[in-house]
Amino acid sequence: ELWTQCRSTASVMTTHLKKNRKKRSHVSAGHGRVGKHRKHPAGRGNAGGQHHHRILFDKFHPGYFGKVGMRYFHKTKQQYFCPTVNVDKLASLAGEEALTAAKAAAGKALVIDVTEHGFYKVLGTGSLPAIPMLVKARFVSEKAEAKIKAAGGAVQLVA
C-alpha cells in the first residue's frame, strides 16, 4: 500500500515489454562498440552554442547571441504612466442617467472628466453618440478631437 503512494502517477512500463529484454547478451545493446553510449557527449542543454553547435544556432536561431538597443539606467515607470480610453467608451464613463439628462437638456453639454476615472489620454477608436460633450483630459489624439468636435462637443486639456 505504501509503495503505491510513493510511486509517481505516470504509468510504469512492465519489464517484459521493454526493448532491453531482446538486447540481453548482446554486448553493446545496440549502441555500438566504437562510439559508445556515453551520458552527454555534446554537453547538456544549450552547451556549445558559440562553439561546436554554432551551425545549428545560426541556422535555426539567428540573433540568439548578443545585445540589442541602448541601456536605460534607473528607468522609472511613473513617467510613462498614461492609461488610455477610447472615444466609444466615453458615454459609458458618464453613465446612463447623465446621457438621458444630456439628451433632454438642449443647449447644455455633458461634461466628462476622464482623469477622475483614472485615464490620461483619449484615443479615437469607435464612434460617439450625437450628444455635445465637453471632454476634459491631459492628452487627446487628433482623431479623438475631430470626432468629439464632429458630435458638437469640445475638448479641454487639464494639467
Side-chain angles (χ1 to χ4, degrees), residues 140-154:
V140 181
S141 69
E142 289 179 16
K143 197 173 166 186
E145 190 172 3
K147 286 186 180 182
I148 292 166
K149 287 182 177 174

Side-chain angles (χ1 to χ4, degrees), residues 72-77 79-80:
Y72 189 134
F73 298 113
H74 194 65
K75 184 174 184 178
T76 53
K77 291 184 179 172
Q79 54 189 327
Y80 299 107

